Amino acid sequence: MLRSLTSLPSCLWLGAIFWLSALSPSIAQKSAPASGNSASSLSIAKSQLDHNDLEAGEKTLWTILAGEPTNQGALTMLGVIRARQQRYPEAEALFNRVLQLDPKSIVACRNLAHILLQENRPDDAIREYQQAIKLASQDSDLKIELAQLQFEQGNFSVALATLDTIKSQHFPVAAVPLKAASLLSVGRRADALNLLPLVRGSSAAGLELDRVFVQANDADASLKTLALIQPHSTADA
């Protein structure tokens, strides 16, 4: 049985990826409506983090927190900085503080899950993912990240059940290799082969799917996958 998908695209790999994309000025306004400058300062801090200038970003965030100690956006970004510095206990405390202020913060749940993984606490990370999915039941990325973790834990049927909650019309092609690997791991080769048409036109997903079949020692399925993604020869006879 397949036990690992280390060749999956980076968008599926559970590494030290800490989410800033969901942060917006509205977070600052929600946590500190009296300040007219916090949103602008958060934008500056986010730009500094985007350029990996952690020292400048931290200074900007501490300036915000000096006047607004419960500013959720600043606490979240400071947690991201601590995570990038591999100061995981501090990052965990910061994301937990955000969740105390706003138990429905999907950003904090997601970041906390990643921190728990870095601390080798996958069961706790799974609980955080499940909580985040309760808050954002239509977020397919969250479900894919959870399924990847469940797969890596060897819970193939559970991973498959998680993926099956994603509506077919919204299922990302990049997640097809993970679903195929889950199906193969529970002995459902025919269902895995039925996924082949989904990678037509996507060489990246097709190559990852090919690797899944190679790992499973399924040469026939590998050839079929490569035939889908390789351009037909137009050379003259």
Side-chain angles (χ1 to χ4, degrees):
M1 285 188 295
L2 297 173
R3 302 289 298 189
S4 176
L5 281 183
T6 54
S7 60
L8 275 177
S10 59
C11 63
L12 294 182
W13 183 242
L14 291 173
I17 306 168
F18 303 100
W19 294 82
L20 284 172
S21 60
L23 288 174
S24 68
S26 62
I27 296 178
Q29 293 162 0
K30 178 180 178 181
S31 57
S35 173
N37 297 323
S38 59
S40 175
S41 296
L42 275 179
S43 295
I44 292 171
K46 184 179 183 303
S47 176
Q48 291 164 331
L49 266 65
D50 288 343
H51 290 86
N52 206 35
D53 191 348
L54 303 187
E55 183 177 356
E58 183 168 347
K59 287 181 180 178
T60 302
L61 293 171
W62 279 121
T63 299
I64 298 171
L65 291 169
E68 305 168 27
T70 60
N71 187 296
Q72 294 172 39
L75 290 169
T76 299
M77 279 196 264
L78 186 58
V80 171
I81 289 176
R82 292 292 178 260
R84 291 184 182 177
Q85 294 169 334
Q86 298 185 15
R87 293 161 63 175
Y88 300 128
E90 294 173 59
E92 179 184 351
L94 285 161
F95 295 135
N96 274 320
R97 176 57 177 151
V98 174
L99 287 170
Q100 288 177 343
L101 295 168
D102 181 9
K104 295 183 178 181
S105 172
I106 300 169
V107 175
C109 278
R110 193 174 210 158
N111 279 323
L112 182 55
H114 284 293
I115 290 295
L116 294 169
L117 285 174
Q118 297 303 311
E119 295 179 324
N120 196 27
R121 294 162 58 187
D123 291 340
D124 291 334
I126 285 173
R127 282 191 286 272
E128 288 302 323
Y129 272 117
Q130 290 170 336
Q131 176 61 23
I133 289 170
K134 287 181 182 178
L135 298 171
S137 60
Q138 303 304 313
D139 191 325
S140 59
D141 288 339
L142 279 172
K143 293 177 180 179
I144 292 168
E145 290 170 26
L146 174 58
Q148 172 72 69
L149 177 54
Q150 291 165 333
F151 182 93
E152 292 293 335
Q153 292 289 98
N155 297 321
F156 307 123
S157 296
V158 177
L160 190 56
T162 298
L163 292 172
D164 284 343
T165 64
I166 302 173
K167 294 181 179 179
S168 58
Q169 62 267 34
H170 300 304
F171 197 86
V173 66
V176 170
L178 175 58
K179 187 165 187 177
S182 301
L183 288 165
L184 290 171
S185 296
V186 297
R188 294 170 56 183
R189 179 179 182 271
D191 289 330
L193 290 176
N194 287 337
L195 299 175
L196 282 173
L198 298 180
V199 301
R200 190 188 301 274
S202 175
S203 58
L207 288 172
E208 295 301 333
L209 182 58
D210 172 60
R211 291 190 186 114
V212 167
F213 287 126
V214 169
Q215 288 180 25
N217 297 315
D218 193 333
D220 181 62
S222 172
L223 289 173
K224 288 179 179 178
T225 305
L226 292 175
L228 275 177
I229 62 175
Q230 289 178 344
H232 295 294
S233 174
T234 58
D236 294 332

